Each structure stands twice: as structure tokens, then as C-alpha cells.
Amino acid sequence: MKTLDARIRFTGERRQVTALFYDIVGSTELLLRSEPEKFFRSVSALHQNAETIIRKHGGFLHQRLGDGGCCFFGYPEQSEDAAESAVQASLELLHIAAGSKTKARTPFQLRIGVATGLVVFSTEGDEIVGTAPVLAARLQAEAEPNSVLVADSTVRLTRHKFDYRLVRAARLKGFEDPIALWRPQERDRSAPEASPSEERDRPIRGREKELAALSGAWHSALEGKGSPIAVVGEAGIGKSRLVGEFAGRLRQAAHETVVFQCGRRLESQPLHPFVSFLERLVEPSVLRDGDRETFMRALQASGREVDAAVADAILSFTADRSLPMSRNIRVSDPSGLAFRRKVIDAAAGILTCKAPAFPTLLIFEDVHWADDMTLELIDRLGSLAGALPILVVQTSRIRRSLAVASEIELSGLSSAAVRDLVASIWREHPPPGLSDFILDQCDGMPLYAEELAYFFQGRQPLGKSLSEWKELLRDGSVTSLNDLLSAKLAATGSARRVAQIASVIGREFNISLLIYLLEGVSRRSVDADIDRLLSEGIIERSSVTQGSFQFRHVLAQEAAYGSLLKSDRRRIHRRIADRLITEAKPSLPAAIAAWQCAEAGLHDAAARFALAAAEASVLRSAMHEASVSLELCAREVASLSRRHPERTELALSLCELQGVVASALEGEGSENARRVYSRAMQLLQKQPPAVRMNHFPVYWGWWFTAPNILTQQSRARILVADMQAVEDRETRLQSYHCGWATSFHAGEHGFCLDCVAKGLKLYDPESAVRHRAFFGGHDAKVCGLGESALAYLLLDDAGASETAINECLEWAGSIDHAGSMVHALYYAIVLRRCQSRYDDVHALGERMLALAERHGLAASQARANMYCGWAELMTSSAARGEARFKAGLLLQQQLGTDDNFSMHSDMHAQVLRRLGRPAEALATIQNAINVGRNSGQSFWLAELYRLSATLRRDLNETPSSIRRDLTRAVQIAEGQKAAWLAARAKRSLDA
């Protein structure tokens, strides 16, 4: 009989373990470039160091795989914190790889993957089977050089220990569903927190009334009666300190606090604070690539459940775009304002979706530096605060005119509060009279009072007189808060240099860029200096960007920046600029990169970065933000030598964007927009043909902003002729687009149809998808067919007209583009209006109105109501038709978008005649005739004269005046070869 041990001898065991795979990046290439012996020693040393780290954290190096290794945690010894240990070990492995760059060793970069799961292993330990090691190996293969990727299973077990950022979701070999890829970052619990040292984190003094107001607003918000709060005051008055104290008092209650930091020189980066918030949840590449699945997963992991439409709206904003196309954008693009509103609403939805079940405090710091879209977002959130448990608090140096916001204006501290503040810093009783002396110096500014108290405490003026305290200030060259901050900085020894260089980066900075600038200084030394600056309260950990630091106050950054010689500042700026220029993807925002290059004296690079920032803003319908970057670009281009090889190209690119932005902010017919394009054309016409061809947007803008049809038609002919030699089919098509659009209005119907025929031969549906938003906001084929339908009607070719309008509507419906569908419907409405087919006009107008309302197209809503009102008045309800027509006409006049003044005036006169007001109708027609003759919009002049004759007959004017108008109508129509119009005029003349 077998023994018990023999009968139940285990052949294996199931256990949850965490697998870690590491691999040397490009080991084969490194081997080929290195001496074999040196490479072997380096790899061996790496494996030895790796094994030491793995063992230190309770792991087991199961296999060396030549250029990598397979490790397990929780095996062979079981461990409750195996997952934590594995992630910690992976981060340390990256450090040892980074530290291998010595002459004696080959420098290595590692990829590491970590995953947790159930495995089965044999008693001997020679076989381990399970998904964890397979997944860890797959994650390792997906990781970027010098990075770690962690599986969902490990993330769930270690969230309390590490911060994670979702990189993306990827389909990995052997796994059916997409796998989330998470990148870990250790929380440094030993270092000081985001606030200054404990000594400086004392309770706020003298702000009891303001804190009570904030608390009251919070309680009202919890009851669904919230309103936004604006905390206003000068720099150093304690705005952020007040809000931070209030937020700290809420820590015990279940809620979420989100801080958004607006930044100086980031006014040109639309929604920058909100995008920075998103980048704390997900890798920037996810936002740039428009990866909806990964983005929604990251939002879900943060407790935010949103619809796919919300995610799509945000990703359409953050995704990388084709920058050069921004110079072609027309303000008539119907998607612009609607797109902007959709993005703002989506951002507000993400920030408020948790609020119904989880109260939310949203803090926007330094709103005086906010971009326009961020201001819109703040206002939108404020409007939502009245119905949700949300409190929106903004701090600002300037007052904003917000009807819905409650304001807390901070003034200087009271005498009692300053004395209390000084006493709290002194710990014991300060010398008699010192508090009053500090109060007299600081005028109630808390930051100044605090720094003065520390200044004297460090010099121990115990028992000294007033004159001796003044002498201490003189000896320290202290006459202002800036002097105090500079003296405090000087007292930090070697850390001062770190602060000075950090100040050149900006208020916020990261260690990697700092070490790059401090070439030759060890990481240990830099860390020690950072600790010193933290302990002195000069800097703090960023509450916005993980792993970064920021100056505790912008005044501290300015003091550090001002303490540098201009020549030293420029050298540091130059080193930063050189790095940004050589980076494939600049590590700083384009607006900051432009400023860095400008301060470095690199005017051409500064102009390019400023253009990139402006282009990105224009593509996101952020025109005010774009104008900020363009101002910087203009200064930098003006600073370039006239012989600089890139000056002309940069100047033309600048003009292209200035024209787009001026048209958006001041109107397409604004004097500034016309001046910009005229200046650009003067420069462009001096250039060789190849350069002119590359700057078609200048031609388009020059044509589009012409003051009248006569000038526009002259420019269209130049444009068509100059673009004949262009190889790019789309550019030639768009030149014909300009030609047919103007020629119809000018009554040159033959040239119009010739342009349509030649242009549509060049039409490419795929290219049209990319260009329709940039050239008129509609599809070129839809426009050409619609224009030809009208031209054929006036030339009395009814069959060709009907064929063209049917093809126009059919094509617009097939491409499913709102702007093009509205454009097609408008052509159909105008055609049926010419034919007096009132029922068709009304039906088409209602379709156009529904589409316009759905997409927020105000100009199209105005037109639809005008035509529907006209049709109703001409056939049935005079009162309703009149009201509807007038409402549409008024909206169109307010928008300034009437590009068909002649026909709309004809309709207006018909409305007035129908209402029994022929004299007013005749005055309207006479004005339209004068405008048409002066502007060159002559296609409908014959009909205006014909209606004028009809109204004169109604008013019993002389037969000669009636005959004169009709004779003129015939002459104009025949001059345009508009046989259909000529026949109508002759019938009236013969009647």
C-alpha cells in the first residue's frame, strides 16, 4: 500500500502572480556598433543589476533571454503585495538603464511589460503556464523605449500606490479584445506635498468673511442653487491661498476638486487648461490620434460616463489637423461657430457628469490669462451650476463683467490679521512694534507681510529698534516684495541657480528639461536643490501636471527671472529653443516655443512656431486665440533682415492667416481684411510663378474680400488666368469656383458656364472632402451645378436648368455634408422663386430651415424664413407671411450676410406691394437698382427695372417713365444674352 505522501503528491499549483518582462531596445543594432566583449560585459552587468532589484522587491528572475528577462513576483514565495513590488521594480529598472551611460558600458534603453493573473506551475518550477507571462511579454513589445506598460489586472491592485495614465487600447496577438495599456508613475510620499512646508501651510489669517462666503456658496450648490464665484484681487493679495484653504476644509466631505491653471503666454492655446486636465487622464497621443475607445475608457476609469458623441466632439478638437489648410478657411464655413459651441458643451459635460451623485468643486486659477474658449467654458459651467451640486470658482487680477457670478474682492489684511500672521510665523512673541512696522511696509498685502516676517525672523531682530529694522532692510537692499523674494532666493545657495534656470522655462517646469539645461550637474544635486526650494516655499509640486513643479507664486518666478543678466537669460532661452527646434514633436506648447525662440533672438523659428500656434487655433475656430499668436509672428517677421531667405515666405503665410482671422473677427468685408489681402497680393505679384501658385489662399482672400462685384469679377479673371499653369487640380478647380461664382452675379453667364464646365472636369470626390470646409464651406460640385442651373434658366434653356438643379440636389444629398446641402437647397429655392413656384419655394424653405436649425446656421435660417414668408404672403396668409419675411430680413441685416441683395430687394418690394404700399415698394426697388449698378450685381437688374415699371403703373405715373424702365430691362437682358429675362421684359412692354 502506498503511503499518504505518495498518494497525494502534487504535480503543480495554481497561484496568482505578477509577471515582468524586460527587453533591451535595439540590442542587435547595439551589438553591431559595439565591441562584442564590451557589449557582453554591459549586458551581463545589466542582468546582474536587474536580478538584484528583482530580488530586493521579492521577485524571481525566472529566465535570462539574451537581451531581456522574464521575472515573477508572488512565486516561488507567495506575497500579498506582489503586484506593487513588480511595478516598483520596473520603475527602478528604468533608472539603472539610464545610469548605464558610461565609457565602460554600452548605453541601454529598456522596454518593460507587467501583468497579473492566475498561472499554473509545476512543482519543480520548470514550467509556468498562464496568460500573465504572455500578456507581460506582449506589453513589453508595445512599450516605448525607456518606458513601462502595465495591464488592467495589475493597475486595479496598485492604484493606491501609483498614478497611472492610459496610453491607448491595443489589439495584441492572441487576445480577442483590445487591451488597455497603462503607464505608471510613482507617488513620492517622502517629498513635500504640493503646498509649501508645514510651517508655511498654516491656517489663513484675516479671511474669515471670505471663507464664510465660499462655504455658503458651496452649501447652496449642494442644494442645487449654486452660482459661480469670482475671487478678484491684485497679485500677492492671497487669491489662490484663500481658495486653497477653502478646498482644504472640504477634504473630509465626499466630493471632487479639479484645478485648472491658466498660464501667461498661453492665451493663444484654446482650452489649454481643460486639455491639460485631459492629459492627466490619458496620454497626449490618444488625444492627438483621436482614439475614441481609449479616451472613453480613461474617462470611465476616472468615474466619468459620457456618450460617444461627447468624446467625438472633444477628439475632433484635440486631434492633429492639416495645418496648411487653415489659411484657406472662410468665415462662411457654417461649421465654425457650431463646432465651437459643440466642443464647449462637450467639455462642460465631461466636467459635470459626476456632479449629480458627486459634488464637484471646479477651480480656475489666474483667469486674467485665460484664452477666450476657456472663458466660454467657465461661463457655460457657471450657467449649469444653478441646477447641479457644482461650485465654479475663478481667481483673477481683473474683474470680468459676469451677471451670473458672485464676486469676492480681496483687499489688504486688517491690522489685527497682519499682527496674527506675524505672530504665527514667529511662534513666540515677536519683538514689540515689529508687527506694526511690517504692517506699515506691506500695506496689508499678505504675501509681502509673510515674506517680511520670515526675513526678520532669519536675522533675529530681537530687542532692536525701528531704525535698526530699517537698516536691516537697507543692508538687504529690500525696498519691495520683489527685493524680498530675490533676497530669499539668494539665501538658498546653489539652489538659486536651479530656480533661475527654471524661471526661464516658465512658471511650471519639469526635471528632464531642467537637467538638460544644467548640463554636467548630477541628478542627485538637482534633487537636493529642488528639495531646498520646496522647503523654502519658493516652488511647489504642480497640482495640474504630474511630475512637474511650479513656482509657488508667479511673483517668485519673476523675481528669479529678473535676477538673471539679460545675456544669461538669452543664452538659456537659446538652449531651450535649440532643443525645441530639433524635436520632432516640440515638448512645449507652440505658443511657449514661439516666446522662447523670440527671447533667444531666433526670429525665424519664433515666427514659425507662432504660425503653428495660430494655425492650430484657426482650425479649432478659436480666432481670438489665433490673433494673439499672429501679433507675435508679425513682430518676429518684422525683426528679420529683408535679405533673410525665409522672410517672404513667412510674411505671405502670416498674411494668409491674418486675412482669415480679420474676416472672422471683423467681417469678411472689413477694411482690415481687405488691407491684409491687398498687401499680400502686392508682395505675391513680385514673386516668381512657383511661389504665386503655392499661395492660392492669398488669391482667394483677395478675390473674396473685393469691395464689390465689379472688382471681384475683374479679380476672378486674373485669378483664373494666373492659375492655368498650376499642376494641382484642386487649386485650378477652386480658381474656376471663384470665376463662376462672381460671373453669374455680374451677368456674364457664358463665362460662368465655361468656368463650371472646365472646373467640374477637375473635380475629385476624395479631394473635395478635405477642401469643402475651406473654400466657401460647401462642395464645389454642388456650387457649380447650382450656379449653372440659374444661368441656364436666364439663358432660357429650361431643360438644362432642370437637369442641373436635380443633379445638384442629388449630389448634395449623397455626400451628407450640411453646408453643401444647405447650399443646394438655396439654389433650388432661388430657381423656384424666379419661376414663381410658390409651393415649391415654401417646401424647400422648410427643409432648409430644419437643417439650418439643427446645425446652428443662422444665415441660412434667415434666408429660409424670408423665402417661406414671401411664399406664404404671395399665396395665402398675408399677416403671417409678412411677420416671417420681416423676421428673416432683420436677422440677415444683423448678420450682414446678404450676398443676393438684388433678388431679396425684389422680394421685399413684392411684399410691400402685396400689403398695399406701392410707394415704399418703388423706393426699395430704386435703391436696389442703384446698389446693383454701382456694385456690379447686375444679373437681376432687368427684373428690378421690370418691377419698377409695374409699381409706377400702380402709382399712375407717366407712361413714358414706365416705358423707359421696361426698355432699359430689355436692353440689360439682351446685353447679358439672358433670353428668359428679355422675353419677360418684352411681354410687359407689349402689354
mmCIF file of all heavy atoms in Angstrom, residues 486-526:
data_model
loop_
_atom_site.group_PDB
_atom_site.id
_atom_site.type_symbol
_atom_site.label_atom_id
_atom_site.label_comp_id
_atom_site.label_asym_id
_atom_site.label_seq_id
_atom_site.Cartn_x
_atom_site.Cartn_y
_atom_site.Cartn_z
ATOM 1 N N SER A 486 13.825 88.121 -4.058
ATOM 2 C CA SER A 486 15.171 87.934 -4.603
ATOM 3 C C SER A 486 16.164 87.620 -3.494
ATOM 4 O O SER A 486 17.043 86.760 -3.661
ATOM 5 C CB SER A 486 15.605 89.196 -5.360
ATOM 6 O OG SER A 486 14.757 89.442 -6.467
ATOM 7 N N ALA A 487 16.045 88.316 -2.364
ATOM 8 C CA ALA A 487 16.936 88.048 -1.232
ATOM 9 C C ALA A 487 16.716 86.643 -0.685
ATOM 10 O O ALA A 487 17.667 85.938 -0.329
ATOM 11 C CB ALA A 487 16.682 89.082 -0.137
ATOM 12 N N LYS A 488 15.473 86.251 -0.639
ATOM 13 C CA LYS A 488 15.152 84.907 -0.162
ATOM 14 C C LYS A 488 15.754 83.852 -1.099
ATOM 15 O O LYS A 488 16.291 82.834 -0.651
ATOM 16 C CB LYS A 488 13.635 84.768 -0.103
ATOM 17 C CG LYS A 488 13.116 83.399 0.288
ATOM 18 C CD LYS A 488 11.599 83.467 0.283
ATOM 19 C CE LYS A 488 10.990 82.116 0.592
ATOM 20 N NZ LYS A 488 9.519 82.185 0.556
ATOM 21 N N LEU A 489 15.684 84.129 -2.385
ATOM 22 C CA LEU A 489 16.248 83.223 -3.376
ATOM 23 C C LEU A 489 17.765 83.146 -3.241
ATOM 24 O O LEU A 489 18.366 82.071 -3.321
ATOM 25 C CB LEU A 489 15.868 83.717 -4.775
ATOM 26 C CG LEU A 489 16.058 82.771 -5.945
ATOM 27 C CD1 LEU A 489 15.223 81.516 -5.767
ATOM 28 C CD2 LEU A 489 15.662 83.483 -7.241
ATOM 29 N N ALA A 490 18.391 84.284 -2.996
ATOM 30 C CA ALA A 490 19.847 84.323 -2.873
ATOM 31 C C ALA A 490 20.331 83.506 -1.684
ATOM 32 O O ALA A 490 21.448 82.981 -1.690
ATOM 33 C CB ALA A 490 20.313 85.765 -2.756
ATOM 34 N N ALA A 491 19.475 83.382 -0.685
ATOM 35 C CA ALA A 491 19.869 82.668 0.531
ATOM 36 C C ALA A 491 19.816 81.155 0.381
ATOM 37 O O ALA A 491 20.168 80.425 1.307
ATOM 38 C CB ALA A 491 18.965 83.093 1.692
ATOM 39 N N THR A 492 19.370 80.673 -0.786
ATOM 40 C CA THR A 492 19.243 79.222 -0.967
ATOM 41 C C THR A 492 20.523 78.581 -1.517
ATOM 42 O O THR A 492 20.527 77.379 -1.809
ATOM 43 C CB THR A 492 18.082 78.889 -1.927
ATOM 44 O OG1 THR A 492 18.354 79.476 -3.210
ATOM 45 C CG2 THR A 492 16.762 79.416 -1.390
ATOM 46 N N GLY A 493 21.567 79.345 -1.680
ATOM 47 C CA GLY A 493 22.841 78.788 -2.136
ATOM 48 C C GLY A 493 22.768 78.299 -3.568
ATOM 49 O O GLY A 493 22.284 78.997 -4.465
ATOM 50 N N SER A 494 23.242 77.069 -3.799
ATOM 51 C CA SER A 494 23.290 76.538 -5.161
ATOM 52 C C SER A 494 21.900 76.347 -5.750
ATOM 53 O O SER A 494 21.726 76.313 -6.977
ATOM 54 C CB SER A 494 24.036 75.203 -5.168
ATOM 55 O OG SER A 494 23.332 74.236 -4.390
ATOM 56 N N ALA A 495 20.872 76.245 -4.903
ATOM 57 C CA ALA A 495 19.505 76.066 -5.399
ATOM 58 C C ALA A 495 19.032 77.307 -6.158
ATOM 59 O O ALA A 495 18.112 77.229 -6.982
ATOM 60 C CB ALA A 495 18.554 75.759 -4.248
ATOM 61 N N ARG A 496 19.659 78.434 -5.884
ATOM 62 C CA ARG A 496 19.275 79.671 -6.570
ATOM 63 C C ARG A 496 19.439 79.522 -8.079
ATOM 64 O O ARG A 496 18.591 79.957 -8.861
ATOM 65 C CB ARG A 496 20.128 80.832 -6.047
ATOM 66 C CG ARG A 496 19.900 82.169 -6.755
ATOM 67 C CD ARG A 496 20.715 83.245 -6.043
ATOM 68 N NE ARG A 496 20.509 84.552 -6.623
ATOM 69 C CZ ARG A 496 21.328 85.109 -7.520
ATOM 70 N NH1 ARG A 496 22.418 84.463 -7.915
ATOM 71 N NH2 ARG A 496 21.075 86.317 -7.996
ATOM 72 N N ARG A 497 20.550 78.888 -8.483
ATOM 73 C CA ARG A 497 20.803 78.722 -9.909
ATOM 74 C C ARG A 497 19.727 77.850 -10.547
ATOM 75 O O ARG A 497 19.270 78.117 -11.664
ATOM 76 C CB ARG A 497 22.187 78.084 -10.111
ATOM 77 C CG ARG A 497 22.613 77.951 -11.567
ATOM 78 C CD ARG A 497 22.816 79.302 -12.208
ATOM 79 N NE ARG A 497 23.370 79.210 -13.549
ATOM 80 C CZ ARG A 497 23.386 80.204 -14.409
ATOM 81 N NH1 ARG A 497 22.873 81.383 -14.060
ATOM 82 N NH2 ARG A 497 23.909 80.060 -15.605
ATOM 83 N N VAL A 498 19.311 76.819 -9.839
ATOM 84 C CA VAL A 498 18.249 75.955 -10.349
ATOM 85 C C VAL A 498 16.957 76.767 -10.531
ATOM 86 O O VAL A 498 16.275 76.650 -11.547
ATOM 87 C CB VAL A 498 18.009 74.767 -9.400
ATOM 88 C CG1 VAL A 498 16.746 74.002 -9.791
ATOM 89 C CG2 VAL A 498 19.220 73.835 -9.408
ATOM 90 N N ALA A 499 16.634 77.593 -9.539
ATOM 91 C CA ALA A 499 15.422 78.407 -9.624
ATOM 92 C C ALA A 499 15.510 79.398 -10.785
ATOM 93 O O ALA A 499 14.526 79.635 -11.496
ATOM 94 C CB ALA A 499 15.190 79.137 -8.313
ATOM 95 N N GLN A 500 16.679 79.983 -10.975
ATOM 96 C CA GLN A 500 16.833 80.952 -12.060
ATOM 97 C C GLN A 500 16.612 80.304 -13.422
ATOM 98 O O GLN A 500 15.908 80.847 -14.277
ATOM 99 C CB GLN A 500 18.226 81.583 -11.998
ATOM 100 C CG GLN A 500 18.408 82.557 -10.832
ATOM 101 C CD GLN A 500 19.851 83.021 -10.713
ATOM 102 O OE1 GLN A 500 20.784 82.225 -10.832
ATOM 103 N NE2 GLN A 500 20.035 84.318 -10.481
ATOM 104 N N ILE A 501 17.221 79.149 -13.612
ATOM 105 C CA ILE A 501 17.057 78.464 -14.904
ATOM 106 C C ILE A 501 15.619 77.986 -15.065
ATOM 107 O O ILE A 501 15.039 78.082 -16.152
ATOM 108 C CB ILE A 501 18.057 77.305 -15.015
ATOM 109 C CG1 ILE A 501 19.480 77.879 -15.111
ATOM 110 C CG2 ILE A 501 17.744 76.421 -16.204
ATOM 111 C CD1 ILE A 501 20.574 76.854 -15.195
ATOM 112 N N ALA A 502 15.028 77.498 -13.982
ATOM 113 C CA ALA A 502 13.629 77.064 -14.052
ATOM 114 C C ALA A 502 12.719 78.226 -14.430
ATOM 115 O O ALA A 502 11.746 78.052 -15.172
ATOM 116 C CB ALA A 502 13.200 76.468 -12.719
ATOM 117 N N SER A 503 13.044 79.427 -13.958
ATOM 118 C CA SER A 503 12.199 80.587 -14.255
ATOM 119 C C SER A 503 12.196 80.926 -15.734
ATOM 120 O O SER A 503 11.238 81.508 -16.246
ATOM 121 C CB SER A 503 12.671 81.803 -13.449
ATOM 122 O OG SER A 503 13.896 82.316 -13.962
ATOM 123 N N VAL A 504 13.270 80.570 -16.434
ATOM 124 C CA VAL A 504 13.326 80.820 -17.876
ATOM 125 C C VAL A 504 12.412 79.849 -18.614
ATOM 126 O O VAL A 504 11.827 80.192 -19.640
ATOM 127 C CB VAL A 504 14.780 80.706 -18.386
ATOM 128 C CG1 VAL A 504 14.844 80.973 -19.887
ATOM 129 C CG2 VAL A 504 15.682 81.677 -17.641
ATOM 130 N N ILE A 505 12.257 78.633 -18.087
ATOM 131 C CA ILE A 505 11.326 77.671 -18.691
ATOM 132 C C ILE A 505 9.899 78.196 -18.573
ATOM 133 O O ILE A 505 9.129 78.149 -19.526
ATOM 134 C CB ILE A 505 11.445 76.296 -18.002
ATOM 135 C CG1 ILE A 505 12.872 75.744 -18.161
ATOM 136 C CG2 ILE A 505 10.425 75.314 -18.565
ATOM 137 C CD1 ILE A 505 13.144 74.477 -17.366
ATOM 138 N N GLY A 506 9.562 78.712 -17.403
ATOM 139 C CA GLY A 506 8.214 79.227 -17.178
ATOM 140 C C GLY A 506 7.811 79.021 -15.739
ATOM 141 O O GLY A 506 8.600 78.545 -14.914
ATOM 142 N N ARG A 507 6.575 79.359 -15.410
ATOM 143 C CA ARG A 507 6.146 79.163 -14.028
ATOM 144 C C ARG A 507 6.145 77.676 -13.678
ATOM 145 O O ARG A 507 6.467 77.294 -12.564
ATOM 146 C CB ARG A 507 4.749 79.744 -13.801
ATOM 147 C CG ARG A 507 4.331 79.617 -12.342
ATOM 148 C CD ARG A 507 3.023 80.255 -12.028
ATOM 149 N NE ARG A 507 2.693 80.078 -10.625
ATOM 150 C CZ ARG A 507 1.543 80.425 -10.066
ATOM 151 N NH1 ARG A 507 0.616 81.027 -10.792
ATOM 152 N NH2 ARG A 507 1.329 80.202 -8.779
ATOM 153 N N GLU A 508 5.770 76.832 -14.634
ATOM 154 C CA GLU A 508 5.796 75.391 -14.421
ATOM 155 C C GLU A 508 6.967 74.793 -15.186
ATOM 156 O O GLU A 508 7.277 75.227 -16.293
ATOM 157 C CB GLU A 508 4.489 74.758 -14.880
ATOM 158 C CG GLU A 508 4.378 73.283 -14.569
ATOM 159 C CD GLU A 508 3.034 72.692 -14.951
ATOM 160 O OE1 GLU A 508 2.026 73.055 -14.321
ATOM 161 O OE2 GLU A 508 3.004 71.875 -15.893
ATOM 162 N N PHE A 509 7.623 73.799 -14.627
ATOM 163 C CA PHE A 509 8.768 73.185 -15.287
ATOM 164 C C PHE A 509 8.874 71.729 -14.861
ATOM 165 O O PHE A 509 8.342 71.325 -13.833
ATOM 166 C CB PHE A 509 10.067 73.931 -14.933
ATOM 167 C CG PHE A 509 10.350 73.999 -13.452
ATOM 168 C CD1 PHE A 509 11.135 73.039 -12.822
ATOM 169 C CD2 PHE A 509 9.826 75.020 -12.672
ATOM 170 C CE1 PHE A 509 11.390 73.090 -11.466
ATOM 171 C CE2 PHE A 509 10.063 75.078 -11.306
ATOM 172 C CZ PHE A 509 10.858 74.119 -10.697
ATOM 173 N N ASN A 510 9.590 70.950 -15.691
ATOM 174 C CA ASN A 510 9.815 69.551 -15.338
ATOM 175 C C ASN A 510 11.299 69.285 -15.178
ATOM 176 O O ASN A 510 12.143 70.042 -15.677
ATOM 177 C CB ASN A 510 9.189 68.604 -16.366
ATOM 178 C CG ASN A 510 9.770 68.799 -17.751
ATOM 179 O OD1 ASN A 510 10.968 68.665 -17.958
ATOM 180 N ND2 ASN A 510 8.909 69.105 -18.719
ATOM 181 N N ILE A 511 11.621 68.209 -14.498
ATOM 182 C CA ILE A 511 13.005 67.901 -14.151
ATOM 183 C C ILE A 511 13.842 67.581 -15.389
ATOM 184 O O ILE A 511 15.011 67.969 -15.472
ATOM 185 C CB ILE A 511 13.059 66.724 -13.159
ATOM 186 C CG1 ILE A 511 12.475 67.170 -11.802
ATOM 187 C CG2 ILE A 511 14.476 66.234 -12.962
ATOM 188 C CD1 ILE A 511 13.305 68.206 -11.084
ATOM 189 N N SER A 512 13.270 66.885 -16.353
ATOM 190 C CA SER A 512 14.069 66.465 -17.512
ATOM 191 C C SER A 512 14.625 67.665 -18.266
ATOM 192 O O SER A 512 15.808 67.693 -18.633
ATOM 193 C CB SER A 512 13.237 65.585 -18.443
ATOM 194 O OG SER A 512 12.143 66.301 -18.980
ATOM 195 N N LEU A 513 13.796 68.683 -18.499
ATOM 196 C CA LEU A 513 14.283 69.866 -19.196
ATOM 197 C C LEU A 513 15.258 70.645 -18.322
ATOM 198 O O LEU A 513 16.259 71.182 -18.810
ATOM 199 C CB LEU A 513 13.102 70.763 -19.602
ATOM 200 C CG LEU A 513 13.452 72.032 -20.393
ATOM 201 C CD1 LEU A 513 14.305 71.709 -21.618
ATOM 202 C CD2 LEU A 513 12.176 72.771 -20.801
ATOM 203 N N LEU A 514 14.995 70.664 -17.027
ATOM 204 C CA LEU A 514 15.895 71.360 -16.107
ATOM 205 C C LEU A 514 17.288 70.723 -16.115
ATOM 206 O O LEU A 514 18.310 71.423 -16.182
ATOM 207 C CB LEU A 514 15.298 71.335 -14.699
ATOM 208 C CG LEU A 514 15.958 72.217 -13.637
ATOM 209 C CD1 LEU A 514 15.911 73.683 -14.028
ATOM 210 C CD2 LEU A 514 15.263 72.022 -12.295
ATOM 211 N N ILE A 515 17.348 69.402 -16.071
ATOM 212 C CA ILE A 515 18.644 68.705 -16.084
ATOM 213 C C ILE A 515 19.362 68.928 -17.414
ATOM 214 O O ILE A 515 20.583 69.086 -17.458
ATOM 215 C CB ILE A 515 18.434 67.204 -15.811
ATOM 216 C CG1 ILE A 515 17.994 67.005 -14.349
ATOM 217 C CG2 ILE A 515 19.679 66.392 -16.098
ATOM 218 C CD1 ILE A 515 17.649 65.585 -13.990
ATOM 219 N N TYR A 516 18.581 68.970 -18.494
ATOM 220 C CA TYR A 516 19.175 69.255 -19.806
ATOM 221 C C TYR A 516 19.864 70.624 -19.796
ATOM 222 O O TYR A 516 20.965 70.788 -20.350
ATOM 223 C CB TYR A 516 18.086 69.215 -20.873
ATOM 224 C CG TYR A 516 18.481 69.815 -22.204
ATOM 225 C CD1 TYR A 516 19.290 69.113 -23.091
ATOM 226 C CD2 TYR A 516 18.033 71.081 -22.569
ATOM 227 C CE1 TYR A 516 19.644 69.659 -24.314
ATOM 228 C CE2 TYR A 516 18.381 71.636 -23.790
ATOM 229 C CZ TYR A 516 19.191 70.925 -24.662
ATOM 230 O OH TYR A 516 19.543 71.477 -25.865
ATOM 231 N N LEU A 517 19.225 71.598 -19.173
ATOM 232 C CA LEU A 517 19.813 72.941 -19.135
ATOM 233 C C LEU A 517 20.980 73.025 -18.156
ATOM 234 O O LEU A 517 21.902 73.822 -18.348
ATOM 235 C CB LEU A 517 18.738 73.964 -18.752
ATOM 236 C CG LEU A 517 17.581 74.099 -19.748
ATOM 237 C CD1 LEU A 517 16.496 75.004 -19.194
ATOM 238 C CD2 LEU A 517 18.075 74.621 -21.089
ATOM 239 N N LEU A 518 20.929 72.209 -17.110
ATOM 240 C CA LEU A 518 22.015 72.184 -16.120
ATOM 241 C C LEU A 518 23.034 71.124 -16.511
ATOM 242 O O LEU A 518 23.350 70.213 -15.749
ATOM 243 C CB LEU A 518 21.442 71.887 -14.733
ATOM 244 C CG LEU A 518 20.636 73.022 -14.081
ATOM 245 C CD1 LEU A 518 19.787 72.479 -12.955
ATOM 246 C CD2 LEU A 518 21.562 74.118 -13.592
ATOM 247 N N GLU A 519 23.521 71.215 -17.706
ATOM 248 C CA GLU A 519 24.428 70.204 -18.247
ATOM 249 C C GLU A 519 25.637 70.019 -17.329
ATOM 250 O O GLU A 519 26.276 70.984 -16.904
ATOM 251 C CB GLU A 519 24.905 70.613 -19.636
ATOM 252 C CG GLU A 519 25.655 69.527 -20.360
ATOM 253 C CD GLU A 519 25.993 69.932 -21.783
ATOM 254 O OE1 GLU A 519 25.911 71.134 -22.083
ATOM 255 O OE2 GLU A 519 26.334 69.044 -22.583
ATOM 256 N N GLY A 520 25.915 68.767 -17.006
ATOM 257 C CA GLY A 520 27.062 68.467 -16.153
ATOM 258 C C GLY A 520 26.736 68.382 -14.677
ATOM 259 O O GLY A 520 27.572 67.962 -13.875
ATOM 260 N N VAL A 521 25.534 68.760 -14.279
ATOM 261 C CA VAL A 521 25.121 68.693 -12.877
ATOM 262 C C VAL A 521 24.410 67.363 -12.653
ATOM 263 O O VAL A 521 23.535 66.968 -13.439
ATOM 264 C CB VAL A 521 24.193 69.871 -12.513
ATOM 265 C CG1 VAL A 521 23.753 69.771 -11.054
ATOM 266 C CG2 VAL A 521 24.886 71.192 -12.779
ATOM 267 N N SER A 522 24.759 66.652 -11.596
ATOM 268 C CA SER A 522 24.188 65.328 -11.349
ATOM 269 C C SER A 522 22.716 65.431 -10.942
ATOM 270 O O SER A 522 22.280 66.446 -10.400
ATOM 271 C CB SER A 522 24.962 64.608 -10.247
ATOM 272 O OG SER A 522 24.731 65.226 -8.998
ATOM 273 N N ARG A 523 22.000 64.358 -11.180
ATOM 274 C CA ARG A 523 20.583 64.301 -10.788
ATOM 275 C C ARG A 523 20.446 64.425 -9.284
ATOM 276 O O ARG A 523 19.525 65.093 -8.782
ATOM 277 C CB ARG A 523 19.975 62.988 -11.275
ATOM 278 C CG ARG A 523 18.546 62.718 -10.801
ATOM 279 C CD ARG A 523 17.569 63.754 -11.310
ATOM 280 N NE ARG A 523 16.246 63.583 -10.783
ATOM 281 C CZ ARG A 523 15.249 62.976 -11.421
ATOM 282 N NH1 ARG A 523 15.438 62.464 -12.629
ATOM 283 N NH2 ARG A 523 14.059 62.879 -10.877
ATOM 284 N N ARG A 524 21.382 63.836 -8.544
ATOM 285 C CA ARG A 524 21.325 63.916 -7.084
ATOM 286 C C ARG A 524 21.427 65.359 -6.616
ATOM 287 O O ARG A 524 20.709 65.799 -5.726
ATOM 288 C CB ARG A 524 22.443 63.068 -6.478
ATOM 289 C CG ARG A 524 22.433 63.061 -4.951
ATOM 290 C CD ARG A 524 23.505 62.128 -4.412
ATOM 291 N NE ARG A 524 23.232 60.747 -4.785
ATOM 292 C CZ ARG A 524 24.022 59.740 -4.457
ATOM 293 N NH1 ARG A 524 25.137 59.947 -3.780
ATOM 294 N NH2 ARG A 524 23.695 58.505 -4.821
ATOM 295 N N SER A 525 22.320 66.104 -7.247
ATOM 296 C CA SER A 525 22.500 67.507 -6.875
ATOM 297 C C SER A 525 21.250 68.323 -7.184
ATOM 298 O O SER A 525 20.821 69.161 -6.384
ATOM 299 C CB SER A 525 23.710 68.085 -7.616
ATOM 300 O OG SER A 525 23.838 69.461 -7.359
ATOM 301 N N VAL A 526 20.667 68.053 -8.356
ATOM 302 C CA VAL A 526 19.447 68.772 -8.732
ATOM 303 C C VAL A 526 18.311 68.448 -7.769
ATOM 304 O O VAL A 526 17.564 69.335 -7.332
ATOM 305 C CB VAL A 526 19.044 68.427 -10.179
ATOM 306 C CG1 VAL A 526 17.692 69.069 -10.529
ATOM 307 C CG2 VAL A 526 20.104 68.901 -11.161
#
